[in-house]
Amino acid sequence: MQAHLATQEDDMWYVITDGSIKILKNRTTTTSVDDVPKMIEKPRYEWSTKDKRKVNLNNVAKDILYKMLDKNMFSKIKSCSTAKEIWENLTQLCEGNDQTMENKLMVATQKYDSMKIKSGEIMMDFEERFTNIIIELSTLGKTYSNREVNMKVVKALPRE
């Protein structure tokens, strides 16, 4: 049973990253010089229960991806027809291309550089804002040493 689940999970990931699974069978006649049978698409009426499950994985994957999204993100991908298309759009929206990543890093760096405690802000709230910026920078590939982070916190505090 465990091997069956691993295969189904692998097939699911394949559907998301590479596209729908086509059900193939060996062509009964060989047309190549080396007598290697060619694969052709299996007619729907010949599909086994296992074949039907594999073909349906695209629908299952789409359903899972849809359920993971909030209304805002769903509205951006609802026109996609395959799980692969949804995944590619989500990747683009969330990660972006190199230019997008560079822009995100620049904005996050500017936030870090201009970080100051707000008037009336308690230290716990400041720490949360600061930590979020550090995490954002880290996910974009920019890290600071503990010394740099500590110095930044000290400089962000008011003189009094």
Side-chain angles (χ1 to χ4, degrees), residues 1-149:
M1 184 67 177
Q2 290 289 28
H4 173 69
L5 287 176
T7 303
Q8 189 172 6
E9 288 171 3
D10 292 342
D11 288 344
M12 180 79 70
W13 187 243
Y14 176 88
V15 166
I16 291 171
T17 58
D18 296 337
S20 298
I21 294 175
K22 294 198 184 311
I23 306 301
L24 304 174
K25 71 174 188 173
N26 286 333
R27 178 182 282 173
T28 52
T29 59
T30 58
T31 56
S32 64
V33 178
D34 56 5
D35 286 335
V36 175
K38 299 285 185 190
M39 300 299 284
I40 60 170
E41 201 161 329
K42 192 184 224 184
R44 191 179 286 255
Y45 64 86
E46 291 182 15
W47 287 358
S48 66
T49 303
K50 186 178 177 182
D51 293 339
K52 290 174 186 174
R53 281 194 191 114
K54 281 189 174 190
V55 168
N56 193 46
L57 282 176
N58 183 60
N59 293 329
V60 174
K62 281 174 35 179
D63 186 56
I64 290 168
L65 291 170
Y66 286 154
K67 288 178 179 176
M68 299 296 291
L69 303 174
D70 62 21
K71 289 178 184 179
N72 182 41
M73 286 299 271
F74 177 77
S75 69
K76 294 175 182 177
I77 57 91
K78 67 183 176 187
S79 63
C80 297
S81 59
T82 65
K84 180 181 185 211
E85 201 177 336
I86 292 169
W87 185 254
E88 288 170 350
N89 282 330
L90 288 173
T91 302
Q92 186 64 35
L93 287 167
C94 296
E95 293 179 8
N97 56 25
D98 290 342
Q99 183 63 44
T100 305
M101 294 296 282
E102 194 174 308
N103 290 341
K104 285 180 180 181
L105 179 58
M106 184 176 68
V107 168
T109 303
Q110 287 173 347
K111 283 184 199 175
Y112 175 84
D113 291 341
S114 65
M115 187 73 175
K116 298 276 185 211
I117 193 164
K118 296 176 183 175
S119 178
E121 183 177 32
I122 62 172
M123 194 62 191
M124 202 165 83
D125 292 342
F126 170 75
E127 179 192 16
E128 185 177 340
R129 277 192 317 119
F130 187 74
T131 302
N132 287 338
I133 291 173
I134 294 294
I135 291 169
E136 183 180 356
L137 285 163
S138 176
T139 60
L140 293 168
K142 176 71 173 163
T143 57
Y144 294 97
S145 69
N146 284 340
R147 185 179 192 289
E148 290 172 308
V149 170

